[in-house]
Coordinates of all heavy atoms in Angstrom, one line a residue:
M1 N 0.9 -1.2 0.0 CA 0.0 0.0 0.0 C 0.9 1.2 0.0 O 1.8 1.3 0.8 CB -0.9 0.0 1.2 CG -1.9 1.1 1.4 SD -3.2 1.1 0.2 CE -4.2 -0.2 0.7
P2 N 0.7 2.2 -0.9 CA 1.5 3.4 -1.0 C 1.1 4.3 0.2 O 0.1 4.2 0.8 CB 1.0 4.1 -2.3 CG -0.4 3.6 -2.5 CD -0.4 2.1 -1.9
V3 N 2.1 5.1 0.5 CA 2.0 6.1 1.6 C 1.4 7.4 0.9 O 2.1 7.9 0.0 CB 3.4 6.5 2.2 CG1 3.2 7.6 3.2 CG2 3.9 5.2 3.0
V4 N 0.3 7.8 1.4 CA -0.5 8.9 0.7 C -0.7 10.0 1.7 O -1.2 9.7 2.8 CB -1.8 8.5 0.0 CG1 -2.5 9.7 -0.6 CG2 -1.6 7.4 -0.9
K5 N -0.3 11.2 1.3 CA -0.5 12.4 2.2 C -1.3 13.4 1.4 O -1.1 13.7 0.2 CB 0.7 13.1 2.6 CG 1.6 12.1 3.4 CD 2.9 12.8 3.9 CE 3.9 11.9 4.5 NZ 5.2 12.4 4.8
V6 N -2.4 14.1 2.0 CA -3.2 15.0 1.3 C -3.0 16.3 2.1 O -3.4 16.4 3.3 CB -4.7 14.6 1.2 CG1 -5.4 15.8 0.5 CG2 -4.8 13.3 0.4
Y7 N -2.5 17.4 1.5 CA -2.4 18.7 2.1 C -3.7 19.5 1.6 O -3.9 19.6 0.4 CB -1.2 19.4 1.7 CG 0.1 18.7 2.2 CD1 0.6 17.7 1.4 CD2 0.7 19.0 3.4 CE1 1.8 17.0 1.8 CE2 1.8 18.3 3.8 CZ 2.4 17.3 3.0 OH 3.5 16.7 3.4
S8 N -4.5 19.9 2.5 CA -5.8 20.4 2.0 C -6.3 21.5 3.0 O -5.7 21.8 4.0 CB -6.8 19.3 2.1 OG -7.1 18.8 3.4
S9 N -7.5 22.1 2.6 CA -8.2 23.1 3.5 C -9.6 22.6 3.5 O -10.2 22.0 2.6 CB -8.0 24.5 3.0 OG -8.8 24.7 1.8
P10 N -10.3 22.9 4.7 CA -11.7 22.4 4.8 C -12.7 23.0 3.8 O -13.7 22.4 3.5 CB -12.1 22.8 6.2 CG -11.0 23.7 6.8 CD -9.9 23.6 5.8
T11 N -12.4 24.1 3.2 CA -13.4 24.8 2.3 C -13.1 24.5 0.8 O -13.7 25.1 0.0 CB -13.4 26.3 2.5 OG1 -12.1 26.8 2.3 CG2 -13.8 26.6 4.0
C12 N -12.1 23.7 0.6 CA -11.6 23.5 -0.8 C -12.4 22.4 -1.5 O -12.3 21.3 -1.1 CB -10.1 23.2 -0.8 SG -9.5 22.5 -2.4
P13 N -13.2 22.7 -2.6 CA -14.0 21.6 -3.2 C -13.1 20.5 -3.9 O -13.4 19.4 -3.8 CB -14.8 22.3 -4.2 CG -14.3 23.7 -4.4 CD -13.5 24.0 -3.2
H14 N -12.0 20.9 -4.4 CA -11.1 20.0 -5.1 C -10.4 19.1 -4.0 O -10.1 17.9 -4.3 CB -10.0 20.6 -5.9 CG -10.5 21.4 -7.1 ND1 -11.2 20.8 -8.1 CD2 -10.7 22.8 -7.3 CE1 -11.6 21.7 -8.9 NE2 -11.3 22.9 -8.5
C15 N -10.2 19.6 -2.8 CA -9.7 18.8 -1.8 C -10.7 17.7 -1.3 O -10.4 16.6 -1.2 CB -9.4 19.6 -0.5 SG -8.1 20.9 -0.8
Q16 N -12.0 18.1 -1.3 CA -13.0 17.2 -0.9 C -13.1 16.1 -1.9 O -13.3 14.9 -1.7 CB -14.4 17.8 -0.8 CG -14.4 19.0 0.4 CD -13.9 18.4 1.7 OE1 -14.3 17.3 2.1 NE2 -13.1 19.2 2.4
R17 N -13.0 16.5 -3.3 CA -13.1 15.4 -4.3 C -11.9 14.5 -4.3 O -12.1 13.3 -4.5 CB -13.0 16.2 -5.7 CG -14.4 16.9 -6.0 CD -14.4 17.5 -7.4 NE -14.2 16.6 -8.4 CZ -13.7 16.9 -9.6 NH1 -13.4 18.1 -9.9 NH2 -13.5 15.9 -10.5
T18 N -10.8 15.0 -3.9 CA -9.6 14.2 -3.8 C -9.8 13.2 -2.7 O -9.6 11.9 -2.9 CB -8.3 15.0 -3.5 OG1 -8.1 16.0 -4.5 CG2 -7.1 14.2 -3.3
K19 N -10.2 13.6 -1.5 CA -10.4 12.7 -0.4 C -11.6 11.7 -0.7 O -11.4 10.5 -0.3 CB -10.7 13.5 0.9 CG -9.4 14.3 1.3 CD -9.7 15.0 2.6 CE -10.1 16.4 2.3 NZ -10.1 17.2 3.6
K20 N -12.6 12.1 -1.3 CA -13.7 11.2 -1.7 C -13.2 10.1 -2.7 O -13.5 9.0 -2.5 CB -14.9 12.0 -2.3 CG -16.1 11.1 -2.7 CD -17.2 11.9 -3.2 CE -18.3 11.0 -3.6 NZ -19.4 11.7 -4.3
F21 N -12.3 10.5 -3.7 CA -11.8 9.6 -4.6 C -10.9 8.6 -3.9 O -11.1 7.3 -4.1 CB -11.0 10.3 -5.6 CG -10.1 9.4 -6.5 CD1 -10.7 8.9 -7.6 CD2 -8.8 9.2 -6.2 CE1 -10.0 8.0 -8.5 CE2 -8.1 8.3 -7.0 CZ -8.7 7.8 -8.1
L22 N -10.1 9.0 -3.0 CA -9.3 8.1 -2.2 C -10.1 7.1 -1.4 O -9.8 5.9 -1.3 CB -8.2 8.9 -1.4 CG -7.2 9.7 -2.2 CD1 -6.5 10.5 -1.2 CD2 -6.3 8.7 -2.9
Q23 N -11.1 7.6 -0.7 CA -12.0 6.7 0.1 C -12.7 5.7 -0.8 O -12.8 4.6 -0.3 CB -13.0 7.7 0.9 CG -12.3 8.5 2.0 CD -13.1 9.6 2.5 OE1 -14.1 10.0 1.9 NE2 -12.7 10.1 3.7
E24 N -13.2 6.2 -1.9 CA -14.0 5.2 -2.7 C -13.1 4.2 -3.3 O -13.6 3.1 -3.6 CB -14.6 6.0 -3.9 CG -15.8 6.9 -3.5 CD -16.3 7.8 -4.6 OE1 -15.6 7.9 -5.6 OE2 -17.3 8.3 -4.5
N25 N -11.8 4.4 -3.4 CA -10.8 3.4 -3.8 C -10.1 2.7 -2.7 O -9.1 2.0 -2.9 CB -9.8 4.0 -4.8 CG -10.6 4.3 -6.1 OD1 -10.7 3.4 -6.9 ND2 -10.9 5.6 -6.3
D26 N -10.7 2.8 -1.5 CA -10.1 2.2 -0.3 C -8.6 2.5 -0.1 O -7.8 1.6 0.2 CB -10.3 0.7 -0.3 CG -11.8 0.3 -0.2 OD1 -12.5 1.0 0.6 OD2 -12.2 -0.6 -0.9
I27 N -8.2 3.7 -0.3 CA -6.7 4.1 -0.2 C -6.6 4.8 1.2 O -7.4 5.9 1.4 CB -6.3 5.1 -1.3 CG1 -6.5 4.4 -2.6 CG2 -4.9 5.5 -1.1 CD1 -5.8 3.2 -3.0
D28 N -5.8 4.4 2.1 CA -5.5 5.0 3.4 C -4.7 6.3 3.1 O -3.8 6.2 2.3 CB -4.8 4.1 4.2 CG -5.7 2.9 4.8 OD1 -6.9 3.1 4.8 OD2 -5.1 1.9 5.1
F29 N -5.0 7.3 3.8 CA -4.2 8.6 3.5 C -4.2 9.4 4.8 O -5.1 9.3 5.7 CB -4.7 9.4 2.4 CG -6.1 9.9 2.5 CD1 -6.4 11.2 3.1 CD2 -7.2 9.1 2.2 CE1 -7.7 11.7 3.2 CE2 -8.5 9.6 2.4 CZ -8.8 10.9 2.9
E30 N -3.2 10.2 4.9 CA -3.1 11.2 6.1 C -3.5 12.5 5.4 O -3.1 12.9 4.3 CB -1.6 11.3 6.5 CG -1.1 10.1 7.2 CD -1.6 9.9 8.6 OE1 -2.0 11.0 9.3 OE2 -1.8 8.8 8.9
D31 N -4.4 13.2 6.1 CA -5.0 14.5 5.7 C -4.4 15.6 6.6 O -4.6 15.5 7.8 CB -6.5 14.4 5.8 CG -7.1 15.7 5.3 OD1 -6.5 16.4 4.4 OD2 -8.3 16.0 5.7
Y32 N -3.8 16.6 6.0 CA -3.2 17.7 6.8 C -4.0 19.0 6.4 O -4.0 19.4 5.2 CB -1.7 17.8 6.5 CG -0.9 16.7 6.8 CD1 -0.3 15.9 5.8 CD2 -0.8 16.1 8.1 CE1 0.4 14.8 6.1 CE2 -0.1 15.0 8.4 CZ 0.5 14.3 7.4 OH 1.2 13.2 7.7
D33 N -4.6 19.6 7.3 CA -5.3 20.9 7.1 C -4.2 22.0 7.3 O -3.8 22.3 8.4 CB -6.4 21.0 8.2 CG -7.1 22.4 8.0 OD1 -6.8 23.2 7.2 OD2 -8.1 22.6 8.8
V34 N -3.9 22.5 6.1 CA -2.8 23.6 6.1 C -3.3 24.9 6.5 O -2.5 25.8 6.8 CB -2.1 23.6 4.7 CG1 -1.5 22.4 4.3 CG2 -3.2 24.1 3.6
T35 N -4.6 25.0 6.8 CA -5.1 26.3 7.3 C -4.9 26.4 8.9 O -4.9 27.5 9.4 CB -6.6 26.6 7.0 OG1 -7.3 25.6 7.6 CG2 -6.8 26.6 5.5
S36 N -4.7 25.3 9.4 CA -4.6 25.3 10.9 C -3.2 24.7 11.4 O -2.9 24.7 12.6 CB -5.7 24.4 11.6 OG -5.6 23.1 11.2
D37 N -2.4 24.3 10.4 CA -1.1 23.7 10.8 C 0.0 24.3 9.9 O 0.2 23.9 8.8 CB -1.1 22.2 10.5 CG 0.1 21.4 11.1 OD1 1.2 22.1 11.1 OD2 0.0 20.2 11.4
Q38 N 0.6 25.4 10.5 CA 1.6 26.2 9.7 C 2.8 25.3 9.3 O 3.3 25.5 8.2 CB 2.0 27.4 10.5 CG 3.0 28.3 9.8 CD 2.4 28.9 8.5 OE1 1.2 29.2 8.5 NE2 3.2 29.1 7.5
A39 N 3.2 24.3 10.1 CA 4.3 23.5 9.8 C 4.0 22.7 8.6 O 4.8 22.5 7.7 CB 4.7 22.6 10.9
K40 N 2.8 22.1 8.5 CA 2.4 21.3 7.3 C 2.2 22.2 6.1 O 2.6 21.8 5.0 CB 1.1 20.6 7.6 CG 1.4 19.4 8.6 CD 2.3 18.4 8.1 CE 2.5 17.3 9.0 NZ 3.6 16.3 8.6
A41 N 1.8 23.4 6.3 CA 1.7 24.4 5.2 C 3.1 24.6 4.5 O 3.2 24.6 3.3 CB 1.0 25.6 5.6
E42 N 4.0 24.8 5.4 CA 5.4 25.0 4.9 C 6.0 23.9 4.3 O 6.6 24.0 3.3 CB 6.3 25.5 6.1 CG 5.9 26.9 6.6 CD 6.7 27.4 7.8 OE1 7.7 26.7 8.1 OE2 6.2 28.3 8.4
E43 N 5.7 22.7 4.9 CA 6.2 21.4 4.2 C 5.6 21.2 2.9 O 6.2 20.9 1.9 CB 5.7 20.3 5.2 CG 6.1 18.9 4.7 CD 5.6 17.8 5.7 OE1 6.1 17.8 6.9 OE2 4.8 17.0 5.4
M44 N 4.3 21.5 2.7 CA 3.6 21.5 1.4 C 4.3 22.3 0.4 O 4.5 22.0 -0.7 CB 2.1 21.8 1.6 CG 1.4 21.8 0.3 SD -0.3 22.6 0.4 CE 0.1 24.3 0.5
M45 N 4.5 23.6 0.8 CA 5.1 24.6 -0.1 C 6.5 24.1 -0.5 O 6.9 24.3 -1.7 CB 5.1 26.0 0.5 CG 3.7 26.6 0.6 SD 3.7 28.3 1.2 CE 3.8 28.0 3.0
D46 N 7.3 23.6 0.4 CA 8.6 23.1 0.1 C 8.6 22.0 -0.9 O 9.4 21.9 -1.8 CB 9.4 22.6 1.4 CG 9.8 23.7 2.4 OD1 9.8 24.9 1.9 OD2 10.0 23.4 3.5
K47 N 7.6 21.1 -0.7 CA 7.5 19.9 -1.6 C 6.9 20.2 -3.0 O 7.4 19.7 -3.9 CB 6.7 18.8 -1.0 CG 7.3 18.1 0.2 CD 6.4 17.1 0.8 CE 7.1 16.4 2.0 NZ 6.2 15.3 2.4
S48 N 5.9 21.2 -3.0 CA 5.3 21.5 -4.3 C 5.7 22.8 -5.0 O 5.4 22.9 -6.2 CB 3.8 21.4 -4.0 OG 3.4 22.6 -3.3
G49 N 6.2 23.6 -4.2 CA 6.5 25.0 -4.7 C 5.4 25.9 -4.9 O 5.5 26.9 -5.6
Q50 N 4.3 25.5 -4.3 CA 3.0 26.3 -4.5 C 2.2 26.4 -3.2 O 2.5 25.5 -2.3 CB 2.2 25.8 -5.6 CG 1.5 24.6 -5.4 CD 0.6 24.2 -6.5 OE1 0.8 24.5 -7.7 NE2 -0.5 23.6 -6.2
M51 N 1.3 27.3 -3.1 CA 0.5 27.5 -1.9 C -1.0 26.9 -2.1 O -1.7 26.9 -1.2 CB 0.4 29.0 -1.6 CG 1.7 29.5 -1.1 SD 1.7 31.3 -0.8 CE 0.4 31.4 0.4
G52 N -1.3 26.6 -3.4 CA -2.6 26.1 -3.7 C -2.8 24.7 -3.2 O -1.9 23.9 -3.2
V53 N -4.1 24.3 -2.8 CA -4.4 23.0 -2.4 C -5.4 22.4 -3.4 O -6.1 23.2 -4.1 CB -5.0 23.0 -0.9 CG1 -3.9 23.3 0.1 CG2 -6.1 24.0 -0.8
P54 N -5.6 21.1 -3.4 CA -4.8 20.1 -2.7 C -3.4 19.9 -3.3 O -3.3 20.1 -4.5 CB -5.7 18.9 -2.8 CG -6.4 19.0 -4.2 CD -6.6 20.5 -4.3
V55 N -2.6 19.4 -2.5 CA -1.3 18.8 -2.9 C -1.3 17.4 -2.3 O -1.6 17.2 -1.1 CB -0.1 19.6 -2.4 CG1 1.2 18.9 -2.6 CG2 0.0 21.0 -3.0
I56 N -1.1 16.5 -3.3 CA -1.3 15.0 -2.8 C 0.2 14.4 -3.0 O 0.8 14.7 -4.1 CB -2.2 14.3 -3.7 CG1 -3.6 14.9 -3.6 CG2 -2.3 12.8 -3.3 CD1 -4.0 15.6 -4.9
E57 N 0.6 13.7 -2.0 CA 2.0 13.0 -2.2 C 1.7 11.5 -2.1 O 1.1 11.0 -1.1 CB 2.9 13.5 -1.0 CG 4.2 12.8 -1.0 CD 5.1 13.3 0.0 OE1 4.7 14.1 0.9 OE2 6.3 12.9 0.1
V58 N 2.1 10.9 -3.2 CA 2.0 9.4 -3.2 C 3.4 8.8 -3.3 O 4.1 8.9 -4.3 CB 1.2 8.9 -4.5 CG1 1.0 7.4 -4.5 CG2 -0.3 9.5 -4.4
D59 N 3.9 8.2 -2.2 CA 5.2 7.7 -2.2 C 6.3 8.6 -2.8 O 7.0 8.3 -3.7 CB 5.3 6.3 -2.9 CG 4.6 5.2 -2.2 OD1 4.6 5.3 -0.9 OD2 4.3 4.2 -2.8
N60 N 6.2 9.9 -2.3 CA 7.2 11.0 -2.7 C 6.9 11.5 -4.1 O 7.7 12.4 -4.5 CB 8.6 10.5 -2.6 CG 9.0 10.1 -1.2 OD1 8.7 10.8 -0.2 ND2 9.7 8.9 -1.0
E61 N 5.9 11.1 -4.8 CA 5.5 11.8 -6.0 C 4.4 12.8 -5.7 O 3.5 12.5 -5.0 CB 4.9 10.8 -7.0 CG 4.4 11.4 -8.3 CD 3.7 10.4 -9.2 OE1 3.9 9.2 -9.1 OE2 3.1 10.9 -10.2
I62 N 4.7 14.0 -6.1 CA 3.8 15.1 -5.8 C 2.8 15.4 -7.0 O 3.2 15.5 -8.1 CB 4.6 16.5 -5.5 CG1 5.6 16.3 -4.4 CG2 3.7 17.6 -5.3 CD1 5.0 16.0 -3.0
I63 N 1.6 15.5 -6.6 CA 0.5 15.8 -7.6 C -0.2 17.0 -7.0 O -0.7 17.1 -5.9 CB -0.5 14.6 -7.7 CG1 0.2 13.4 -8.2 CG2 -1.7 15.0 -8.6 CD1 -0.6 12.1 -8.1
T64 N -0.3 18.1 -7.8 CA -1.0 19.3 -7.4 C -2.3 19.3 -8.1 O -2.6 19.1 -9.3 CB -0.2 20.5 -7.8 OG1 0.1 20.5 -9.2 CG2 1.2 20.6 -7.1
G65 N -3.3 19.7 -7.2 CA -4.7 19.7 -7.7 C -5.3 18.3 -7.8 O -4.6 17.3 -7.7
F66 N -6.6 18.2 -8.0 CA -7.3 17.0 -8.2 C -7.2 16.6 -9.6 O -7.8 17.1 -10.5 CB -8.7 17.1 -7.8 CG -9.5 15.7 -8.0 CD1 -9.2 14.6 -7.3 CD2 -10.4 15.7 -9.0 CE1 -9.8 13.4 -7.5 CE2 -11.1 14.4 -9.2 CZ -10.8 13.3 -8.5
D67 N -6.3 15.6 -9.9 CA -6.0 15.1 -11.2 C -6.3 13.5 -11.1 O -5.3 12.8 -10.8 CB -4.6 15.4 -11.7 CG -4.4 15.0 -13.2 OD1 -4.9 14.0 -13.6 OD2 -3.6 15.8 -13.8
E68 N -7.5 13.2 -11.5 CA -7.8 11.8 -11.3 C -6.9 10.8 -12.1 O -6.5 9.8 -11.6 CB -9.3 11.5 -11.7 CG -9.8 10.2 -11.4 CD -11.3 10.0 -11.6 OE1 -12.0 11.0 -11.6 OE2 -11.8 8.9 -11.8
E69 N -6.5 11.2 -13.3 CA -5.7 10.2 -14.1 C -4.3 10.1 -13.5 O -3.8 9.0 -13.4 CB -5.6 10.8 -15.6 CG -6.9 10.6 -16.3 CD -7.4 9.2 -16.2 OE1 -6.7 8.2 -16.5 OE2 -8.7 9.1 -16.0
K70 N -3.7 11.2 -12.9 CA -2.4 11.2 -12.3 C -2.5 10.3 -11.0 O -1.6 9.5 -10.7 CB -1.9 12.5 -12.1 CG -1.4 13.2 -13.2 CD -0.7 14.6 -12.9 CE -0.2 15.3 -14.1 NZ 0.4 16.6 -13.7
L71 N -3.6 10.5 -10.3 CA -3.8 9.7 -9.1 C -3.9 8.3 -9.4 O -3.3 7.4 -8.7 CB -5.0 10.2 -8.3 CG -4.9 11.4 -7.5 CD1 -6.2 11.9 -7.0 CD2 -3.9 11.2 -6.4
K72 N -4.7 7.9 -10.5 CA -4.8 6.5 -10.8 C -3.5 5.9 -11.2 O -3.2 4.7 -10.7 CB -5.9 6.4 -11.9 CG -7.3 6.5 -11.5 CD -8.2 6.4 -12.7 CE -9.6 6.4 -12.3 NZ -10.5 6.3 -13.5
K73 N -2.7 6.6 -11.9 CA -1.4 6.1 -12.4 C -0.5 5.9 -11.1 O 0.1 4.9 -11.0 CB -0.8 7.0 -13.3 CG 0.5 6.5 -13.9 CD 1.1 7.5 -15.0 CE 2.4 6.9 -15.5 NZ 3.0 7.9 -16.4
A74 N -0.5 6.9 -10.3 CA 0.4 6.9 -9.1 C 0.1 5.8 -8.1 O 0.9 5.2 -7.5 CB 0.4 8.3 -8.4
L75 N -1.3 5.5 -8.1 CA -1.8 4.5 -7.2 C -1.9 3.1 -7.8 O -2.5 2.2 -7.2 CB -3.1 4.9 -6.6 CG -3.1 6.2 -5.7 CD1 -4.5 6.8 -5.5 CD2 -2.4 5.9 -4.4
D76 N -1.6 3.0 -9.1 CA -1.8 1.7 -9.8 C -3.2 1.3 -9.8 O -3.5 0.0 -9.6 CB -0.9 0.6 -9.3 CG 0.6 0.9 -9.6 OD1 0.9 1.5 -10.7 OD2 1.4 0.6 -8.8
L77 N -4.2 2.1 -10.1 CA -5.6 1.8 -10.1 C -6.0 1.6 -11.5 O -5.5 2.2 -12.5 CB -6.4 2.9 -9.5 CG -6.2 3.2 -8.0 CD1 -7.0 4.3 -7.6 CD2 -6.5 2.0 -7.2

């Protein structure tokens, strides 16, 4: 099982779509709310080079935004 991290905010519709997609495919993930965790926000920016959410990390591969095809490929779905 891949290690999946989602950097998100509670009001972001693309973040919600990302998490729903992962749940529907039975993928375990860590969810980090970057609006309430400054350290995780900085970690996300260091990894992705951007401030927009969601940022998804799949085994050290960074995917910015909800991109279903990239997620499927990274997760071997």
Side-chain angles (χ1 to χ4, degrees):
M1 183 69 71
V3 175
V4 180
K5 299 176 184 176
V6 178
Y7 298 88
S8 64
S9 73
T11 59
C12 164
H14 295 295
C15 300
Q16 300 305 320
R17 287 181 62 204
T18 298
K19 291 183 268 190
K20 182 179 178 186
F21 171 83
L22 294 170
Q23 291 165 343
E24 288 173 346
N25 287 282
D26 295 319
I27 304 295
D28 291 330
F29 63 95
E30 292 289 327
D31 182 28
Y32 303 114
D33 178 356
V34 297
T35 64
S36 65
D37 188 332
Q38 186 61 35
K40 289 298 179 186
E42 290 174 17
E43 180 179 295
M44 176 192 78
M45 289 184 280
D46 288 343
K47 290 180 179 188
S48 69
Q50 69 174 34
M51 293 176 57
V53 289
V55 171
I56 305 106
E57 182 177 3
V58 180
D59 287 337
N60 299 315
E61 178 182 345
I62 300 297
I63 300 168
T64 55
F66 177 68
D67 187 323
E68 189 171 337
E69 291 307 312
K70 284 184 182 179
L71 280 171
K72 284 181 178 178
K73 183 176 179 188
L75 296 165
D76 291 324
L77 298 176

